[in-house]
Structure formats: structure tokens, C-alpha cells
Amino acid sequence: MPHSFTPPHTVHGRSALVVAPPWHYAGWLLNVALDFDAARGADLLPPAIGRTIGRTTGRGCVHFADWQATTDGSELLDPVQAQYRETIVVLEVERPDGSRCGFCPAIWVDQDVSMLRGLLQGWPKKMGSTWLTRSLPLDHPAAAPLRAGTRLGASLAVKDRRVIEAEARLSGEPGRPLGFLAAPTLGVVGFPDLREPARAPALRLLRADVAQPTASGWHAATASLRVFEHPREELSLLGELQAGDASAGWFGLTVVGARDA
């Protein structure tokens, strides 16, 4: 019998916001590595499991992404179901065993389907407005071609207030994967029980089970970042961010589920 993977729970399941994996993604990304005061990073880790995650190293990455996603291909015929943009912040952490991975403390998206898929994976998605320069396969001033000297920009606004912006200039050299593209990245799942509203939710670490990662080849860039104070968002708690390596390109992956981290 058909069933709903997520609400609304109906007999046919057609109106469910999210269907079961696999979820297939492909997109254009601008990735900017960042350095920050490692001691400040603890403020963005969940206190209940901070010791399990480890400690921040003072390195991380912000990704600006323009995605297209599908389950069985049907969404590609109705692009309003498939397309969205998001900004992803990943901090590098050193775990108690000495290994290093990423942790996502903040991520903003403009599509409800993507937001719920992220929450199920432990990525703390909220609504936000991301814009980034697209590179198109044309030799034209408006196409931002992938060659030395081309300039790219990106920004995130949440509740009509700008949170972060980036500028990048392509060097013409090959780039490298950064952030969640380069290392396993952890998320945290935990939902409150309104029968006991005074009790904090039990949290657990998850890692997405990913298949078929593919990239077109990354293009190196130099970049700058600017973070703005916001009355609700906490990214500015990291202090001044110093931009490091940057890269741009196309990337695809499939999420088939998740596993304990």
C-alpha cells in the first residue's frame, strides 16, 4: 500500500513533502575556504555532544550552491520542484581519536523540500535567500566564462538582512574540492517532544550515506568574505573570517540514506 515518508500522511502519499531516498543532486558551487579563531568555534557546536564531535581547528568553508534535485526524474519536468539555492557553512573539527572531518552548524535554503531533507540528515537548514553568479558555456560578457580574470559574487540574506557575501576571481588554474566536498561532514539530529517541552531533545550524530559523487573539475580562485551582524543568526560569533583558497565548478551526488557517525 502507498504510504507517506513525511507529513502529510495520506493513503496515497502524493502530498508528502519528502519521499524516501535516493535523492539525486547536481549543481553549480562557489566554495570559499575560511580561517577563524578556533576558540570561537565551540559556540556553534551543540553543547550536549560537543565533546563527541571534537574541537574546531579554526578552518572551514562556506559553499554557495545552485542545485537541481530529483528522485525518479519527474521533478526535472516540473523545475519548481527541483531547483533551489543554498548557503552551507562547514567547520573542520578534530575528533577525540585525532581524525578530522567537517561539521555543519548552519545552512540556509529557499525550498521547503530541501529544508526537510536536510533536517532528516542532521543539517540544520533554515530559510534564506542565496544568490550567486552562474558560469555559462558562452564566450560572452554576461556568461562569466571559466577563465582567468572572471569575477564571481555570492550573497546570503535571512529575514531580509544580509548575513554573508563573497567575491572571487578565477585564476585560470585547476582548483581543488573544499569543505564537505573534500571530507566527511557530520550533522546532528534531534527533535523535541512536546509532551515534555522542558526536556531538551536527545541528539545524535549522523553522516549522510552518499553514492555516485562526481565533479566536472574545479577552477581555482582567490576570494574575500564579509560577515554582517544579524539579530538572530550566529555566524558572526566566529569573528572576522579570513578567506583562503576558493574554487568553483559543477558537482553531483546521490544521498541513499544516513548512518551513525
Side-chain angles (χ1 to χ4, degrees), residues 226-244:
R226 184 181 180 190
V227 176
F228 301 85
E229 292 285 344
H230 192 282
R232 295 286 184 179
E233 304 306 326
E234 299 183 84
L235 189 59
S236 61
L237 291 177
L238 293 177
E240 184 178 357
L241 303 183
Q242 298 294 329

Side-chain angles (χ1 to χ4, degrees), residues 124-137:
K125 294 195 178 187
K126 299 173 66 176
M127 298 299 288
S129 176
T130 296
W131 293 90
L132 66 158
T133 308
R134 296 172 177 144
S135 179
L136 304 174

Side-chain angles (χ1 to χ4, degrees), residues 4 12 44 67 108 165 240:
S4 301
H12 298 286
L44 296 188
W67 291 111
W108 298 267
E165 62 185 20
E240 184 178 357

Side-chain angles (χ1 to χ4, degrees), residues 193-253:
D193 186 341
L194 287 182
R195 296 170 301 179
E196 300 180 83
R199 176 177 294 184
L203 304 180
R204 71 180 191 274
L205 285 171
L206 284 187
R207 175 183 169 187
D209 191 359
V210 172
Q212 298 177 295
T214 182
S216 64
W218 298 106
H219 299 261
T222 57
S224 62
L225 286 171
R226 184 181 180 190
V227 176
F228 301 85
E229 292 285 344
H230 192 282
R232 295 286 184 179
E233 304 306 326
E234 299 183 84
L235 189 59
S236 61
L237 291 177
L238 293 177
E240 184 178 357
L241 303 183
Q242 298 294 329
D245 289 347
S247 62
W250 292 273
F251 180 73
L253 77 160

Side-chain angles (χ1 to χ4, degrees), residues 21-160:
W23 304 322
H24 309 285
Y25 303 85
W28 161 254
L29 290 88
L30 173 61
N31 320 294
V32 182
L34 56 88
D35 293 320
F36 61 93
D37 182 347
R40 289 175 173 247
D43 290 340
L44 296 188
L45 300 183
I49 57 174
R51 288 185 298 275
T52 304
I53 296 175
R55 62 178 184 85
T56 58
T57 66
R59 299 183 179 91
C61 187
V62 57
H63 304 273
F64 302 92
D66 189 350
W67 291 111
Q68 186 160 277
T70 188
T71 54
D72 59 4
S74 61
E75 296 91 345
L76 302 181
L77 303 179
D78 188 13
V80 70
Q81 300 289 340
Q83 296 174 0
Y84 64 95
R85 291 185 293 265
E86 69 183 349
T87 299
I88 310 164
V89 176
V90 173
L91 305 182
E92 184 184 71
V93 297
E94 183 176 23
R95 304 198 72 181
D97 64 3
S99 64
R100 295 193 176 189
C101 63
F103 176 75
C104 178
I107 176 170
W108 298 267
V109 67
D110 61 6
Q111 169 73 272
D112 56 359
V113 175
S114 174
M115 184 168 71
L116 183 50
R117 282 194 304 236
L119 294 175
L120 292 172
Q121 297 173 73
W123 294 62
K125 294 195 178 187
K126 299 173 66 176
M127 298 299 288
S129 176
T130 296
W131 293 90
L132 66 158
T133 308
R134 296 172 177 144
S135 179
L136 304 174
L138 300 171
D139 188 5
H140 188 274
L146 292 172
R147 63 189 180 207
T150 292
R151 299 173 64 190
L152 308 172
S155 66
L156 165 73
V158 179
K159 302 294 186 184
D160 295 328

